[in-house]
């Protein structure tokens, strides 16, 4: 698959992204422990050994501890910085007692968020910053202004988004001096709306879907790198017990196992290769902290599914034949 020029210039050649949401000891207020740091070292080492180059963070992951523990690793082993490219996300604010959970793309919040990200990760420059979820109160000129300032200060390299539609990206891009380089979306063999929005075009009585039409196509035409979060469906097709799941899920899991056996690879590799087969050049985010599953996922870069195999899994997962 092709990786966009913007990411290639940063040295990213591997289409798999390691997602760091599981680091830091869990979604609680416990401080980072020695065991958390040990786990982070092991996970980072295995990911690097398996070929991962781009590491994905967000300022909210395990309430900031995912970045903090990652930063502790980089502090003790600064040579690792030369072997990876980092990205992080900002814009989600949790319930603060008097205010609800909300999204904030204000100049003040983005600026302070970047400062926090840099401090926790123990770095001076963040190659890629993603805006985490669309803020309906977003002032695009304000976002463009603060990003330009952060870029001039050398704190941030490129800007991308997450969970945004084509129209939202176009609106933001209209005020940006630099191109948006990435859009991170939920995409997997169990989350098919990104495909259904094309398949169900002009189909009478078709069921609804929650993916904005044209987003994938816009990203392709504008050389925006699509990144898929939730790419492994939490093990749904690669080892999890599916006896209580739907017939479609059970049949798809069986097909994944059969194809994995035929190709002498892992089930994780098959479901990730399925994503990467799409011409949108999807980069899956692999978020497991299981050392063996990281290695298993890395095998996805060594196989390619045929068109027949791709459609076999797609139709099976959607649970009914195509219109």
């Amino acid at each position: 698959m092709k990786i966009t020029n913007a990411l290639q210039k940063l040295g990213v050649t591997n289409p798999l992204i390691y997602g760091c949401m599981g680091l830091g000891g869990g979604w609680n207020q416990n401080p980072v422990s020695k065991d958390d740091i040990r786990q982070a070292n092991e996970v980072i080492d295995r990911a690097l050994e398996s070929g991962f180059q781009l590491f994905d963070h967000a300022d909210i992951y395990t309430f900031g501890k995912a970045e903090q523990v990652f930063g502790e690793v980089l502090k003790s082993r600064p040579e690792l910085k030369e072997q990876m490219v980092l990205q992080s996300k900002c814009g989600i604010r949790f319930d603060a007692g008097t205010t609800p959970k909300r999204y904030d793309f204000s100049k003040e919040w983005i600026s302070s968020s970047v400062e926090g990200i840099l401090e926790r990760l123990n770095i001076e420059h963040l190659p890629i910053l993603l805006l985490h979820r669309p803020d309906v109160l977003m002032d695009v000129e304000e976002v463009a202004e603060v990003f330009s300032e952060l870029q001039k200060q050398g704190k941030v390299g490129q800007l991308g988004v997450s969970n945004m539609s084509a129209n939202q990206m176009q609106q933001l891009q209209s005020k940006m001096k630099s191109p948006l380089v990435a859009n991170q979306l939920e995409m997997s063999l169990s989350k098919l709306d990104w495909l259904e929005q094309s398949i169900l075009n002009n189909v009478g009585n078709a069921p609804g879907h929650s993916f904005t039409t044209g987003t994938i196509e816009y990203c392709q035409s504008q050389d925006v790198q699509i990144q898929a979060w939730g790419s492994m469906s939490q093990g749904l097709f690669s080892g999890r017990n599916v006896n209580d799941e739907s017939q479609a899920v059970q049949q798809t899991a069986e097909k994944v196992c059969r194809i994995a056996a035929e190709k002498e690879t892992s089930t994780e590799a098959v479901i990730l290769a399925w994503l990467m087969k799409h011409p949108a050049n999807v980069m899956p985010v692999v978020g497991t902290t299981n050392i063996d599953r990281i290695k298993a996922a890395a095998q996805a870069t060594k196989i390619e599914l045929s068109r027949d195999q791709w459609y076999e899994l797609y139709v099976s997962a959607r649970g009914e034949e195509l219109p």
Side-chain angles (χ1 to χ4, degrees), residues 192-203 206 209 211-218 220 278 310-311 314 318 322-323:
L192 298 171
D193 284 0
W194 61 286
L195 294 172
E196 299 291 279
Q197 57 92 20
S198 296
I199 293 294
L200 299 179
N201 182 51
N202 201 36
V203 176
H209 55 79
F211 199 94
T212 305
T213 301
T215 299
I216 297 297
E217 294 79 3
Y218 175 81
Q220 286 181 270
H278 194 277
W310 189 91
Y311 268 106
Y314 173 36
R318 74 192 302 270
L322 294 172

Side-chain angles (χ1 to χ4, degrees), residues 16 82 129 219:
L16 297 178
E82 303 302 318
L129 174 68
C219 291

Side-chain angles (χ1 to χ4, degrees), residues 130-159:
L130 303 183
L131 301 177
H132 206 156
R133 283 194 177 274
D135 174 13
V136 294
L137 297 181
M138 173 178 67
D139 181 328
V140 292
E141 293 184 349
E142 187 175 353
V143 173
E145 179 184 353
V146 67
F147 176 71
S148 180
E149 291 177 2
L150 291 168
Q151 200 174 38
K152 289 177 181 177
Q153 294 166 2
K155 296 178 180 179
V156 173
Q158 305 290 344
L159 183 68

Side-chain angles (χ1 to χ4, degrees), residues 96-116:
T98 58
T99 53
K101 176 184 177 181
R102 65 244 188 243
Y103 308 136
D104 192 342
F105 288 173
S106 66
K107 180 178 180 179
E108 294 76 17
W109 186 254
I110 291 175
S111 182
S112 64
S113 296
V114 169
E115 294 293 344

